[in-house]
Amino acid sequence: AIERTFSIIKPDATERNLTGKIIDKFESNGLRVVASKRVKLTRDQAEGFYAVHKERPFFGELVEMMLSGPVVLQVLEGENAIAKNREIMGATNPANAEAGTIRKEFAKSMGENSVHGSDAPETAAQEIKYFFKDEEIVG
Ligand code: CMP
């Protein structure tokens, strides 16, 4: 089925001017960018977005990293988009990511792993709604 998923190009990637190379991975693998904005997250936005990880030891580091520079927030659309994007990104830890994936090619570490992507239909819907109004998404 045609799905939508939520993506973040993280500060470690915008800092190295990799935005276009990452979007090319989405587009050349069948996903379409149907919403996009480049912003500096506020602390409230970053903490709220990652609230599920609040008790994890890396939460502080994760939030600081997300505040360290601009991010590109996007909605990606396509056949099986949620799983497809997870394939395109590769494993969370770049050491475990497969060849050709965004994280294998560009990520620096588990923390500075260049992209976020929704992990399931429920979280995709929730994450899209967290950052985008309906009228900002143009399919
Ligand atoms: P993301 O898909 O954005 O979702 C949660 C993020 O937490 C994850 O990508 C990683 O960047 C980060 N993360 C997960 N595990 C660790 C860890 N052990 N140390 C630092 N950051 C982590």
Side-chain angles (χ1 to χ4, degrees), residues 10 50 53 58 61-62 92 103 110-111 113 115-117:
K10 296 186 180 184
Y50 282 121
H53 297 304
F58 58 83
E61 181 190 325
L62 172 60
T92 305
R103 284 162 171 164
M110 180 97 109
N113 64 354
V115 282
H116 165 83

Side-chain angles (χ1 to χ4, degrees), residues 5-61:
T5 191
F6 177 71
S7 168
I8 306 179
I9 302 177
K10 296 186 180 184
D12 70 274
T14 61
E15 205 274 330
R16 288 175 289 152
N17 214 18
L18 294 171
T19 301
K21 287 199 168 82
I22 290 173
I23 294 171
D24 179 58
K25 292 279 192 195
F26 300 145
E27 293 183 338
S28 57
N29 286 287
L31 297 180
R32 181 176 294 271
V33 179
V34 295
S36 186
K37 53 189 172 191
R38 176 176 165 110
V39 298
K40 272 290 279 289
L41 295 178
T42 66
R43 185 169 294 276
D44 278 357
Q45 284 177 318
E47 288 181 352
F49 182 76
Y50 282 121
V52 64
H53 297 304
K54 206 165 48 201
E55 304 307 324
R56 304 278 198 105
F58 58 83
F59 182 70
E61 181 190 325

Side-chain angles (χ1 to χ4, degrees), residues 98-116:
E98 288 197 46
T101 62
I102 291 169
R103 284 162 171 164
K104 184 64 176 187
E105 290 192 12
F106 304 128
K108 295 163 77 171
S109 65
M110 180 97 109
E112 294 185 299
N113 64 354
S114 302
V115 282
H116 165 83

